[in-house]
Amino acid sequence: RIDEVEFSDGRWPTKHWKTLQACYGRAENWHSVAPRLEAFFQRPYQNVVDVTLASVELLFKAFAVDTEIVRASSLRAQGEKSELVLSILTELGATRYLSGRTGASYLDHEEFRRQGIEIEVPSFVPNVARVLPVEETGRVSALDAWVSLGEDAPTLLENPS
């Protein structure tokens, strides 16, 4: 099971932290981001899923995303692909599912409709040119944006009016 995958090398936090310091240490907003990243790498994690969830929570906070994270393993939902997604959404009482373009391609849209769940594929495109030069905007990670924008990171997700 994916939630049982453990680390093969216990030195990964130190290695990753040093890499981030080397890559981002001179960035304008590194000073506002570094303490939270350092604390993240100092926390103990049991397995890969735990550190993955913690990193998502860290980035949610950085970008002021306020939503609950529910681990599928805590639910009774079963199935594969579209059936599993629908089972999770039904168990959670969802009426709308935000999907990426690729993920939406394998969903059974008709079955979702029958179950009263709308599939939405957002077309929002953040202004990444604020983060990197225009010629490099296809390669912006959430970490790049956070380090570049610091405390202003949440503004990247705002829809222009």
Side-chain angles (χ1 to χ4, degrees):
R1 291 174 28 133
I2 193 146
D3 61 348
E4 296 172 351
V5 176
E6 296 181 356
F7 300 101
S8 61
D9 184 346
R11 298 172 300 173
W12 74 265
T14 302
K15 290 180 175 185
H16 280 70
W17 173 239
K18 287 180 178 181
T19 299
L20 293 180
Q21 286 177 305
C23 292
Y24 295 108
R26 294 180 186 212
E28 181 180 346
N29 290 297
W30 175 251
H31 66 280
S32 69
V33 171
R36 288 179 274 176
L37 283 169
E38 185 174 27
F40 169 82
F41 285 108
Q42 289 177 345
R43 287 184 13 212
Y45 299 99
Q46 296 298 312
N47 54 45
V48 175
V49 168
D50 291 340
V51 76
T52 302
L53 287 172
S55 69
V56 169
E57 290 168 349
L58 178 69
L59 290 170
F60 274 10
K61 287 178 187 170
F63 288 92
V65 174
D66 184 25
T67 192
E68 179 183 4
I69 297 174
V70 177
R71 291 176 74 152
S73 60
S74 71
L75 303 173
R76 294 183 305 275
Q78 294 187 359
E80 292 184 14
K81 296 185 179 183
S82 184
E83 183 182 312
L84 177 59
V85 173
L86 185 58
S87 181
I88 290 169
L89 295 170
T90 303
E91 187 172 340
L92 294 173
T95 57
R96 184 172 64 148
Y97 178 60
L98 300 178
S99 175
R101 287 186 305 261
T102 304
S105 68
Y106 74 79
L107 298 175
D108 183 343
H109 291 249
E110 184 55 38
E111 186 59 30
F112 275 63
R113 251 189 304 285
R114 277 196 293 275
Q115 297 295 326
I117 298 174
E118 171 192 3
I119 298 172
E120 183 180 336
V121 182
S123 61
F124 173 72
V125 179
N127 182 5
V128 294
R130 291 178 46 211
V131 180
L132 289 177
V134 175
E135 64 273 7
E136 297 181 31
T137 57
R139 298 182 180 99
V140 177
S141 71
L143 184 58
D144 291 331
W146 183 26
V147 172
S148 177
L149 298 172
E151 298 303 321
D152 289 333
T155 65
L156 187 65
L157 301 180
E158 294 172 355
N159 277 318
S161 308

